[in-house]
Amino acid sequence: IEGGGFLLQSRATTFEARGDANGSPAMRIPTYNSVPYRAGGVGEVVPPVEDGVPVSLPGDLTGGVRIRNTLQLWGADLTAVVSLRRTASWELSGLVGFRYIDLSESSGLLLHIAGLANTIFAGESGDASDKFATRNQFYGGSFGLRARYRHGPFSAEFSGRLAMGVSHETLNISGFFQEFNTPVVTAVPFVTGGLRPVTQGPNGIFAQPSNEGQTSSNRFAVVPDIQIKLGYDVTPWMRITA
């Protein structure tokens, strides 16, 4: 009976950009706007169209955006090894066991914008966030063969395995926004119904009520594994391999 596992270093990448005190350079987050809205909360109606959420606009708004992606992969297995044929130099074994693999990924976005003084956006500010996270868990039975050749303290080993089973996928999407001192939209362009001191809700930039929440699914999956090892017997009970 053999047990094994692996754990890869958790990786994370981050992108960040900010405008200066005057809102330069101009930056937007590209989107496709599917809901009509009034530009600036009071301007003309913008229909569904290729659009962009402002991060900074020279002379009007300044802000910043931060995007962070993470990745983690690990796995473990338990295998029964059955000797099929053995000579002084060669050994052929059958492999039967169980394998588990876990892959987690996430992507998050944070946005902050604020109106510049002496502009129509003076005193306004807002924040928004998105979180997309997935986890894939593989459970499956594995089978394969292993061949090993020995010559003195040296050895060479080749093994091939195939695991077949179920991949359980979970997807979590959530968003949030909060804005301060934004105008109350009315049916008349450039006419407001006053200011909202604070408004907040579960919507982000890409995380919206239409896709937020948790979903899961199960799919048939196959995981192949091939290994080649070169070994050296340091002592009768210790072998180092590459």
Side-chain angles (χ1 to χ4, degrees):
I1 301 294
E2 293 181 349
F6 69 92
L7 173 65
L8 299 187
Q9 179 185 1
S10 178
R11 301 300 302 271
T13 58
T14 302
F15 169 82
E16 189 168 358
R18 292 188 176 277
D20 62 16
N22 296 315
S24 295
M27 290 183 288
R28 289 178 180 267
I29 299 173
T31 62
Y32 181 86
N33 172 53
S34 59
V35 179
Y37 69 96
R38 290 197 181 278
V42 295
E44 298 292 337
V45 174
V46 178
V49 69
E50 291 286 345
D51 205 345
V53 176
V55 177
S56 62
L57 298 175
D60 285 322
L61 301 169
T62 188
V65 62
R66 184 174 186 265
I67 300 172
R68 179 177 173 84
N69 299 319
T70 64
L71 173 69
Q72 177 71 73
L73 176 64
W74 67 278
D77 61 83
L78 187 65
T79 304
V81 183
V82 182
S83 179
L84 301 178
R85 181 175 176 81
R86 180 177 296 176
T87 68
S89 300
W90 282 95
E91 179 181 346
L92 180 64
S93 303
L95 309 173
V96 180
F98 175 80
R99 164 157 286 190
Y100 173 78
I101 299 176
D102 193 304
L103 172 63
S104 298
E105 298 179 89
S106 69
S107 180
L109 181 151
L110 294 174
L111 168 69
H112 173 75
I113 57 176
L116 299 180
N118 301 317
T119 70
I120 61 172
F121 302 108
E124 295 183 31
S125 64
D127 300 275
S129 66
D130 285 336
K131 179 67 178 294
F132 289 77
T134 66
R135 186 182 185 189
N136 291 270
Q137 298 169 282
F138 172 82
Y139 306 85
S142 65
F143 59 91
L145 292 173
R146 174 191 295 162
R148 180 183 294 160
Y149 175 76
R150 295 188 183 91
H151 182 73
F154 298 96
S155 64
E157 179 182 297
F158 174 84
S159 64
R161 288 190 294 178
L162 187 68
M164 295 186 294
V166 175
S167 177
H168 177 69
E169 177 187 273
T170 303
L171 170 64
N172 281 286
I173 303 175
S174 60
F176 178 77
F177 81 93
Q178 184 170 256
E179 54 189 23
F180 302 91
N181 300 323
T182 54
V184 177
V185 178
T186 69
V188 183
F190 302 102
V191 175
T192 72
L195 297 178
R196 293 188 182 94
V198 180
T199 306
Q200 60 185 23
N203 305 351
I205 305 300
F206 298 104
Q208 297 289 319
S210 58
N211 64 357
E212 288 178 325
Q214 177 175 301
T215 58
S216 62
S217 63
N218 295 298
R219 298 173 183 268
F220 175 74
V222 177
V223 178
D225 181 3
I226 294 177
Q227 290 187 0
I228 299 175
K229 290 184 179 181
L230 301 179
Y232 179 78
D233 295 343
V234 181
T235 70
W237 53 270
M238 179 185 293
R239 175 184 299 130
I240 58 174
T241 62

